[in-house]
């Protein structure tokens, strides 16, 4: 939620590095809202997932030992470690759970790992031929899910991960994330090895067919995607010039706007989390460069922020200067006086944490 969040990262301690699990609590004093919950010496953490306030899992690896999972059942007060067998020099890239007991993780040797006891025990299935890395896995229920990775690979399972079928392959691309709103509508995003990037794909039939969707900028490195319904969604990543970006759509990817965040120096965003709130769509993005975590209210109609002083200049999604306080245009009627609301920034400003 916008009040409570988790992130993972690495830190240099002396001449070594350690992996860290960070916890955000808005109830703490400003400046202390992000705190280290857990450290993993000589480790690397790549992803974290909570299914409720108490039950969460972080994944990655321990140097020269292998892939590992850390789990908590008490909201991060304590963490338990599980090493995965046969994963020497391998790492887990992501983790996803549909309940307190059933979850999956993918590794860089083309396997999907499954647990049915909350992460105490895990079993694996070789999914990607030749051991190509799987970068993300997503399930809409306990049976139906997708995994994506290197060589533009997309795989689907209908039996909880026991068996998988290939749905798409393009050796010029690498998919980095996959997201579905239901069993039919889904998205896979990533980068292209050569040529123009534009690796954003959409399906409306559960992955039986995939369509390449044109972005607002064809050179975006797309790292993560979340849709709140079949039409409204967000893609985060970076531009070839080294600038972190958030793209938004409200028409299922037919058109895209670019949401501008002030004060962000990250070269690209790697991860996105979205939660629905009474005030709008709240989100978190994690960036590379200055290791920034940005809290933001995501407005799917935001485009490049442009100051305006009159109604005629107030295009939908632009920032308005109708008074001495900057306001942001939220509605469609092009009226700075009535529609530009929420002082302090709504669609344009992220809150740097």
């Amino acid at each position: 939620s916008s009040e409570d969040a988790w992130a993972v990262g690495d830190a240099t301690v002396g001449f070594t590095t350690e992996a860290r699990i960070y916890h955000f609590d808005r109830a703490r004093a400003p400046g202390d809202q992000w705190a280290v919950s857990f450290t993993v010496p000589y480790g690397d953490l790549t992803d974290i997932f909570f299914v409720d306030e108490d039950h969460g899992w972080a994944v990655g690896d321990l140097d020269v030992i292998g892939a590992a999972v850390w789990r908590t059942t008490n909201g991060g007060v304590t963490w338990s470690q599980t090493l995965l067998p046969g994963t020497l020099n391998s790492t887990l890239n992501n983790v996803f759970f549909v309940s307190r007991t059933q979850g999956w993780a993918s590794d860089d040797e083309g396997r999907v790992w499954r647990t049915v006891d909350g992460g105490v025990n895990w079993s694996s299935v070789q999914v990607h031929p030749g051991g190509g890395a799987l970068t993300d896995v997503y399930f809409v229920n306990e049976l139906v899910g997708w995994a994506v990775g290197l060589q533009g690979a997309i795989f689907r399972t209908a039996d909880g991960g026991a068996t998988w079928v290939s749905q798409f392959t393009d050796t010029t691309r690498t998919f980095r994330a996959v997201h579905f709103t239901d069993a039919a509508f889904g998205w896979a995003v990533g980068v292209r090895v050569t040529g123009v990037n534009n690796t954003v794909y959409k399906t409306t039939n559960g992955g039986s067919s995939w369509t390449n969707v044109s972005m607002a900028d064809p050179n975006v490195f797309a790292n993560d995607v979340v849709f709140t319904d079949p039409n409204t969604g967000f893609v985060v990543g970076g531009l070839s010039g080294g600038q972190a970006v958030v793209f938004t759509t409200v028409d299922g990817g037919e058109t895209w706007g670019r949401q501008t965040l002030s004060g962000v120096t990250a070269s690209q965003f790697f991860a996105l989390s979205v939660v629905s709130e009474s005030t709008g769509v709240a989100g978190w993005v994690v960036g590379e460069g200055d290791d920034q975590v940005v809290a933001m209210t995501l407005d799917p109609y935001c485009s490049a922020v442009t100051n305006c002083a009159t109604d005629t200049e107030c295009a939908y999604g632009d920032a308005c200067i109708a008074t001495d306080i900057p306001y942001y245009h939220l509605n469609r009627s092009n009226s700075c006086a009535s529609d530009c609301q929420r002082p302090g920034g709504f669609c344009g400003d992220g809150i740097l944490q």
Side-chain angles (χ1 to χ4, degrees):
S1 72
S2 61
E3 306 296 318
D4 183 86
W6 296 85
V8 294
D10 299 327
T12 301
V13 180
F15 296 100
T16 65
T17 60
E18 67 179 19
R20 292 179 176 180
I21 298 175
Y22 296 92
H23 178 229
F24 174 85
D25 185 350
R26 198 175 295 279
R28 299 190 189 111
D32 296 324
Q33 293 174 326
W34 280 103
V36 177
S37 171
F38 187 71
T39 61
V40 182
Y42 304 103
D44 180 49
L45 293 173
T46 57
D47 195 19
I48 190 169
F49 187 92
F50 272 72
V51 74
D52 56 37
E53 291 184 356
D54 294 322
H55 295 79
W57 300 263
V59 298
D61 65 85
L62 289 172
D63 293 351
V64 303
I65 295 179
V69 180
W70 291 263
R71 68 185 185 279
T72 181
T73 59
N74 53 21
V77 176
T78 59
W79 293 83
S80 300
Q81 174 184 287
T82 299
L83 296 175
L84 301 187
T87 61
L88 181 64
N89 298 324
S90 182
T91 189
L92 294 177
N93 292 317
N94 81 297
V95 60
F96 186 87
F97 274 71
V98 293
S99 67
R100 293 181 177 181
T101 57
Q102 189 165 347
W104 301 262
S106 62
D107 70 19
D108 58 359
E109 295 184 2
R111 294 170 292 198
V112 172
W113 295 78
R114 180 190 179 195
T115 180
V116 294
D117 58 10
V120 178
N121 297 285
W122 295 79
S123 60
S124 67
V125 174
Q126 186 68 45
V127 176
H128 201 313
L134 294 175
T135 54
D136 197 18
V137 62
Y138 189 91
F139 277 72
V140 292
N141 53 45
E142 294 183 350
L143 296 177
V144 180
W146 292 262
V148 299
L150 297 186
Q151 299 173 345
I154 303 176
F155 301 92
R156 181 181 185 269
T157 180
D159 55 15
T163 60
W164 297 79
V165 295
S166 175
Q167 289 191 319
F168 185 85
T169 301
D170 182 344
T171 57
T172 69
R173 304 179 190 272
T174 292
F175 286 116
R176 292 180 172 174
V178 59
H179 186 271
F180 275 72
T181 58
D182 54 37
F185 289 87
W187 295 78
V189 302
V191 298
R192 191 171 183 179
V193 178
T194 59
V196 176
N197 272 302
N198 195 31
T199 301
V200 177
Y201 281 78
K202 173 184 178 180
T203 181
T204 60
N205 54 21
S208 296
S209 60
W210 292 84
T211 302
N212 191 202
V213 176
S214 297
M215 292 291 291
D217 189 314
N219 289 309
V220 62
F221 297 89
N223 293 324
D224 204 359
V225 56
V226 173
F227 269 69
T228 57
D229 60 54
N231 291 318
T232 308
F234 309 87
V235 171
V236 300
L239 299 179
S240 56
Q243 181 182 4
V245 290
V246 177
F247 287 103
T248 64
T249 182
V250 293
D251 54 16
E254 293 295 322
T255 59
W256 295 84
R258 178 176 163 188
Q259 184 164 342
T260 302
L261 301 176
S262 63
V264 174
T265 58
S267 58
Q268 60 180 311
F269 289 133
F270 276 118
L272 166 68
S273 178
V274 173
V275 292
S276 295
E277 304 256 331
S278 59
T279 56
V281 181
W284 297 90
V285 287
V286 180
E288 178 188 55
D290 288 338
D291 297 326
Q292 288 183 312
V293 178
V294 180
M296 53 195 289
T297 304
L298 297 164
D299 181 357
Y301 291 100
C302 286
S303 57
V305 174
T306 303
N307 291 337
C308 61
T310 66
D311 290 350
T312 57
E313 297 174 5
C314 187
Y316 187 51
D318 286 348
C320 300
I321 308 297
T323 66
D324 292 336
I325 303 175
Y327 286 74
Y328 290 84
H329 189 50
L330 308 184
N331 302 316
R332 293 179 180 268
S333 59
N334 284 15
S335 170
C336 279
S338 62
D339 296 333
C340 296
Q341 303 171 11
R342 296 185 66 89
F346 181 79
C347 64
D349 282 341
I351 305 170
L352 299 184
Q353 301 294 343

